[in-house]
Amino acid sequence: MLTKISSSAVRAARPGFGRFLSSGSSRHRTMKALKGFRSKALVAGALTMMTAGASGASLVSAGAKKAVKTEPNTEPSVKTSSESTPTEDKTNNYKGATRSAYSVPIGEKQPDEVRCFVEVSKGSRNKYEWDEESGHIVLDRVLHSAVFYPHNYGFVPQTLCGDGDPLDVLIIGDDPLEPGCFVDVRPIGYLVMQDEKGKDEKLLAVAAKDPRLYEVRTLRNVPEHVLREITQFFETYKTLEKDKWVSVGGWKGTVDAKLLIEATHRAYLEKKDKGGSVFKF
């Protein structure tokens, strides 16, 4: 129970203490200290100590601190920010922050169905690529020619082609897919290609979970004009880029596409077993 203290009450409780309160500065400091006490018992104890003289003010302060520690109504201590907040990591070391998209399992149903990582959406001119060092997708370049990707574009993880990169894949579909997502696809063929770095085949596939393309199983199910559009795109999309060239061959069917998947997956595993990085960055 809180008790309001007045100067008259103090004099009445301790007559000899009146002389100590006669000076204005002493009175002000003493009454300010007494207002902080929570009970009559503490006030009485404080008055007893103060009769010793001016040094009593420091004794009251010490006694009050000791009493507050054992008082039932004392508020709990609050943790400092250093105790409640984890230490901030200021190393700015982002390498390996995300699992490598290159090492994601290719899929238990391969080569009939494989998992792909989408880098570029259908209709885009922005060539995004997975960046192994940062663990994020980055903009590699904007296509130099007045062309755009005719279908969603990405790669098959855990594969290694002759150019030192994973097997590229073009995913036929009606709508753009978000860069950075994984899609299970069904291979239907591939386009023979080579660039300045080596063999660079382009796998052609459809999303396994797209009911509109369920009947698309081989190249025979793809309109001939669609295949010509894809061929024309890869023949011209690097034309205006310096020190780059592309040689496009013909199309290979479903059986050959599955053999290509198996061969590039095996090449990846063999390179990985030797130790070190599979890809050059």
Side-chain angles (χ1 to χ4, degrees):
M1 179 176 121
L2 297 176
T3 303
K4 185 175 181 180
I5 308 299
S6 65
S7 59
S8 58
V10 173
R11 290 188 180 92
R14 197 71 177 175
F17 192 59
R19 292 189 301 273
F20 180 70
L21 295 175
S22 59
S23 64
S25 59
S26 297
R27 183 187 302 110
H28 175 73
R29 290 196 304 271
T30 304
M31 297 310 300
K32 184 176 181 182
L34 290 176
K35 287 180 181 180
F37 290 108
R38 297 177 179 269
S39 66
K40 293 180 178 179
L42 288 176
V43 172
L47 292 174
T48 301
M49 288 186 288
M50 285 184 178
T51 56
S55 61
S58 61
L59 294 175
V60 171
S61 177
K65 290 181 181 178
K66 183 176 181 181
V68 169
K69 290 183 180 179
T70 58
E71 185 73 8
N73 294 330
T74 302
E75 297 181 359
S77 60
V78 180
K79 290 184 178 181
T80 62
S81 58
S82 62
E83 294 174 330
S84 58
T85 305
T87 304
E88 182 183 359
D89 183 7
K90 299 181 179 180
T91 58
N92 293 328
N93 183 11
Y94 299 108
K95 188 172 183 179
T98 306
R99 179 181 181 180
S100 172
Y102 293 140
S103 62
V104 170
I106 190 174
E108 296 179 356
K109 298 180 181 179
Q110 68 92 13
D112 299 320
E113 187 177 302
V114 295
R115 180 152 294 179
C116 295
F117 182 80
V118 178
E119 293 177 302
V120 184
S121 297
K122 176 182 179 179
S124 176
R125 294 181 61 187
N126 296 327
K127 179 63 167 66
Y128 299 104
E129 290 188 354
W130 170 260
D131 182 67
E132 186 74 1
E133 184 174 358
S134 67
H136 295 82
I137 293 179
V138 299
L139 179 64
D140 177 67
R141 67 186 186 279
V142 177
L143 297 183
H144 293 205
S145 302
V147 295
F148 54 84
Y149 279 85
H151 298 283
N152 298 292
Y153 182 82
F155 63 83
V156 181
Q158 292 193 351
T159 58
L160 179 62
C161 291
D163 62 350
D165 294 330
L167 177 61
D168 295 325
V169 59
L170 203 64
I171 308 169
I172 296 176
D174 294 333
D175 301 312
L177 296 173
E178 292 294 330
C181 73
F182 285 94
V183 183
D184 293 331
V185 302
R186 185 171 59 253
I188 58 177
Y190 77 89
L191 181 63
V192 178
M193 276 187 58
Q194 187 172 353
D195 62 12
E196 70 279 356
K197 296 192 296 182
K199 290 184 178 181
D200 190 27
E201 298 92 343
K202 306 298 182 184
L203 185 70
L204 188 64
V206 296
K209 296 181 180 179
D210 190 340
R212 298 170 182 81
L213 301 175
Y214 181 78
E215 288 78 14
V216 179
R217 300 284 171 167
T218 68
L219 287 179
R220 294 178 182 273
N221 305 128
V222 181
E224 183 65 28
H225 185 75
V226 172
L227 296 179
R228 288 199 296 266
E229 282 182 332
I230 295 172
T231 301
Q232 195 269 345
F233 168 76
F234 284 113
E235 286 176 339
T236 60
Y237 80 126
K238 289 185 179 180
T239 301
L240 300 181
E241 296 186 47
K242 295 180 179 180
D243 302 323
K244 291 187 178 182
W245 56 268
V246 174
S247 175
V248 179
W251 286 95
K252 296 289 185 179
T254 306
V255 174
D256 290 326
K258 293 179 180 180
L259 292 175
L260 177 64
I261 292 172
E262 291 178 331
T264 54
H265 180 52
R266 185 166 54 251
Y268 170 88
L269 295 177
E270 291 174 354
K271 185 71 174 295
K272 184 179 179 181
D273 289 342
K274 294 179 180 179
S277 178
V278 176
F279 305 103
K280 296 179 180 180
F281 307 110

